[in-house]
Amino acid sequence: MQTKFVALFTLFFSSAAFSETAVICQDCSTESAAESFAKSQANSLQCSEKPGADRVCRSESKIVTFVDYGSGQAYQYKVFHERSYPWEVRVERIPLSSTREESFSLLMDFVKDSNSAIEEASTDFNQLLNKAHIGTVSANKTSGSGDACPEETALKVLTDPNTLDALKTEASIAIGKQLLSKNNQLNFNPVKINNSYTLSFGGLSSSTAADGAITTPVYIVTFDESERPGRRKDFLAYYVDILAFDAGLLPVMRFTLLEESRVAGYQLKNLLGGDGVGSLSIDNACVKQIFEDAVNNQVLTLSTSDAAGAVDDGVPASSGSDWSFPTTSGCGTYTFEQGGLSSYTFRVCN
């Protein structure tokens, strides 16, 4: 039992000792720039309330590790304030091992290459259709003007699980191919979660945490068609996490849909009932048909409604797979849930 405890303690200590996290500096390509950045990371100076010469000021020294975004050069400094007036900030460079410096350099290559791959893989939905032979379920409905409803729209994709899954699969392949063309260090198991990046090299684990100066890359699919065409095209925008790589070095990804996406001519957060603008009023027959079809296909669940014809629990009565919005005059507010994660809330008036 004691031997097992010693082994576990050694493993924990070794993991802690060989793991290092650095922040990303946007412009630390020179020693002077690196020193200035290190000084900016100093702990706050804490001073006594005594005035004049009797005033005492101190701060806790700290170790700052960071890496330059452009060059991949890593730095480590001890940062502290002088003990006497004017308590200037001082730095002392701490040498990093050559292995650690190389691991951070490789990691910064992955940061830049993965960010570029995500952005460059962004595409038009029609191109995805041609590559993957995917399409949305037809609504079999006409708009109020008598024209046929568009078939390949952002809202149709969001309410069609098969098409949405195919979209993400094609996105992961496209991003993976872009990354493979740029980076040949994927055998170091690099990982990207939000704005944090990690890889293992030479027995060392190195991580970076980007500050606000480094923007999070966004994967965007743009749609030529919309239920409500306007001056701006609809699009689905995703944050992308890279969790691992499979045997073919294609990334295992997690996609997080941004509420700033645009569907049916609306910003998604507003269609979700957010952003403090109140419930959107929907008067487009094609949009209403998509929601009716999604309910009848059990993709969406109609959870609440204050419309005429609602049963006692506030949910409109439906029979089998033939639910539709009431056609009586007046307005009703409807909330639809999708997979327990997203809910759409809007008003329909007749």
Side-chain angles (χ1 to χ4, degrees):
M1 185 67 180
Q2 184 176 5
T3 302
K4 291 182 179 180
F5 174 80
V6 171
L8 288 172
F9 177 82
T10 302
L11 177 62
F12 173 80
F13 180 79
S14 298
S15 298
F18 292 107
S19 178
E20 188 82 58
T21 299
V23 297
I24 297 177
C25 175
Q26 185 71 30
D27 185 16
C28 288
S29 57
T30 65
E31 183 80 19
S32 60
E35 288 186 2
S36 296
F37 180 81
K39 289 179 179 180
S40 72
Q41 305 298 301
N43 286 320
S44 298
L45 195 63
Q46 304 295 324
C47 298
S48 66
E49 296 182 358
K50 294 181 180 180
D54 293 330
R55 194 175 197 190
V56 177
C57 294
R58 295 284 188 271
S59 73
E60 292 291 330
S61 64
K62 66 186 295 188
I63 303 299
V64 178
T65 307
F66 56 95
V67 57
D68 177 57
Y69 182 79
S71 65
Q73 176 63 53
Y75 303 89
Q76 191 171 76
Y77 285 92
K78 178 181 179 181
V79 187
F80 57 94
H81 285 87
E82 289 185 339
R83 292 302 183 99
S84 58
Y85 180 83
W87 306 292
E88 292 184 359
V89 178
R90 299 295 185 187
V91 294
E92 293 177 358
R93 180 91 181 255
I94 301 174
L96 292 168
S97 69
S98 58
T99 303
R100 178 66 74 188
E101 289 200 352
E102 187 172 358
S103 71
F104 275 124
S105 179
L106 292 171
L107 182 57
M108 285 309 306
D109 287 340
F110 173 70
V111 171
K112 291 181 286 188
D113 293 340
S114 62
N115 289 358
S116 295
I118 291 169
E119 293 173 346
E120 292 173 10
S122 295
T123 186
D124 183 273
F125 184 66
N126 286 332
Q127 295 184 29
L128 286 180
L129 289 177
N130 295 333
K131 291 178 181 178
H133 306 291
I134 58 179
T136 54
V137 177
S138 174
N140 297 319
K141 182 73 174 181
T142 59
S143 66
S145 62
D147 298 328
C149 292
E151 295 296 325
E152 316 298 348
T153 70
L155 183 59
K156 290 283 288 291
V157 169
L158 275 185
T159 55
D160 182 351
N162 284 22
T163 305
L164 194 58
D165 180 75
L167 182 153
K168 293 178 181 178
T169 298
E170 286 302 310
S172 65
I173 294 173
I175 293 171
K177 288 182 177 179
Q178 288 279 358
L179 185 53
L180 279 171
S181 70
K182 301 171 182 292
N183 194 295
N184 61 358
Q185 310 295 347
L186 302 184
N187 56 313
F188 298 133
N189 302 313
V191 172
K192 173 193 178 299
I193 298 180
N194 298 323
N195 255 14
S196 297
Y197 304 76
T198 303
L199 62 69
S200 299
F201 172 77
L204 304 178
S205 175
S206 297
S207 303
T208 63
D211 59 17
I214 308 298
T215 58
T216 302
V218 177
Y219 175 78
I220 301 174
V221 179
T222 307
F223 294 79
D224 294 331
E225 295 184 320
S226 176
E227 293 76 14
R228 298 173 59 248
R231 295 178 63 187
R232 184 170 187 179
K233 290 184 178 181
D234 288 349
F235 61 89
L236 299 179
Y238 292 91
Y239 283 145
V240 179
D241 291 333
I242 300 176
L243 308 178
F245 290 85
D246 64 17
L249 291 182
L250 285 176
V252 179
M253 294 183 169
R254 177 171 58 207
F255 293 86
T256 303
L257 182 64
L258 276 67
E259 291 188 350
E260 288 72 21
S261 299
R262 188 173 181 86
V263 299
Y266 302 104
Q267 192 172 38
L268 181 58
K269 68 169 61 177
N270 294 335
L271 192 60
L272 297 174
D275 207 23
V277 299
S279 299
L280 291 173
S281 178
I282 304 295
D283 59 3
N284 182 285
C286 294
V287 173
K288 290 192 287 185
Q289 184 65 45
I290 288 176
F291 277 89
E292 290 175 358
D293 289 346
V295 171
N296 293 322
N297 291 329
Q298 298 181 340
V299 175
L300 297 181
T301 300
L302 181 57
S303 59
T304 61
S305 171
D306 64 5
V311 294
D312 292 340
D313 60 1
V315 179
S318 60
S319 58
S321 59
D322 193 26
W323 179 84
S324 62
F325 289 103
T327 57
T328 55
S329 61
C331 297
T333 302
Y334 298 83
T335 297
F336 301 85
E337 291 187 355
Q338 183 172 6
L341 298 177
S342 299
S343 62
Y344 308 91
T345 299
F346 53 82
R347 290 177 292 120
V348 172
C349 298
N350 295 303

